């Protein structure tokens, strides 16, 4: 895996002011290497979970500006994390867990 810094958002854009309001502390290294333009270049709808029978999924719509790359991730009850991407433009993305497992948490990471 590369040494690039990945930022995370959980279905919505998190600015520094919003993070402070929510009580989210960014690691010091992230604050030094991430520019404000990068933080503002990914915008997502509220993510949701669903099922199509035996497979559960996390779905979200996001867009990015500039050269920002973003991924959609879901952690599953069998201990795996599934990832789709990278994307650089608007996409509606659905990431599935393996059959007969539960989707536990979904998020968007970007760089």
């Amino acid at each position: 895996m590369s040494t690039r810094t990945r930022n995370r958002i959980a279905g919505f854009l998190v600015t520094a002011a919003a993070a402070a309001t929510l009580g989210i502390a960014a690691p010091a290294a992230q604050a030094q290497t991430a520019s404000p333009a990068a933080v503002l270049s990914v915008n997502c709808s509220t993510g949701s979970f669903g099922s199509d029978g035996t497979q559960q999924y996390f779905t979200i719509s996001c867009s990015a500006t500039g050269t920002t790359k973003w991924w959609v991730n879901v952690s599953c009850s069998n201990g795996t994390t599934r990832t789709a991407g990278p994307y650089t433009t608007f996409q509606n993305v659905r990431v599935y867990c393996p059959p007969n497992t539960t989707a536990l948490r979904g998020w968007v990471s970007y760089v």
Side-chain angles (χ1 to χ4, degrees):
M1 175 148 249
S2 69
T3 58
R4 69 180 173 229
T5 300
R6 281 196 183 172
N7 300 301
R8 292 184 180 190
I9 57 177
F12 55 93
L13 181 65
V14 176
T15 63
T21 302
L22 296 170
I24 302 169
Q30 211 172 26
Q32 293 171 355
T33 60
S35 70
V39 172
L40 300 175
S41 62
V42 177
N43 189 15
C44 298
S45 66
T46 301
S48 62
F49 295 95
S51 175
D52 67 0
T54 61
Q55 284 187 274
Q56 290 190 0
Y57 57 82
F58 175 68
T59 186
I60 195 165
S61 300
C62 296
S63 63
T65 58
T67 59
T68 303
K69 294 180 184 177
W70 57 277
W71 294 259
V72 178
N73 311 277
V74 64
S75 60
C76 306
S77 61
N78 67 346
T80 63
T81 298
R82 300 293 178 101
T83 300
Y87 303 103
T88 57
T89 60
F90 176 83
Q91 296 288 325
N92 296 307
V93 181
R94 185 178 283 183
V95 183
Y96 286 86
C97 284
N100 303 311
T101 63
T102 302
L104 302 175
R105 186 172 69 97
W107 70 96
V108 171
S109 54
Y110 63 96
V111 58

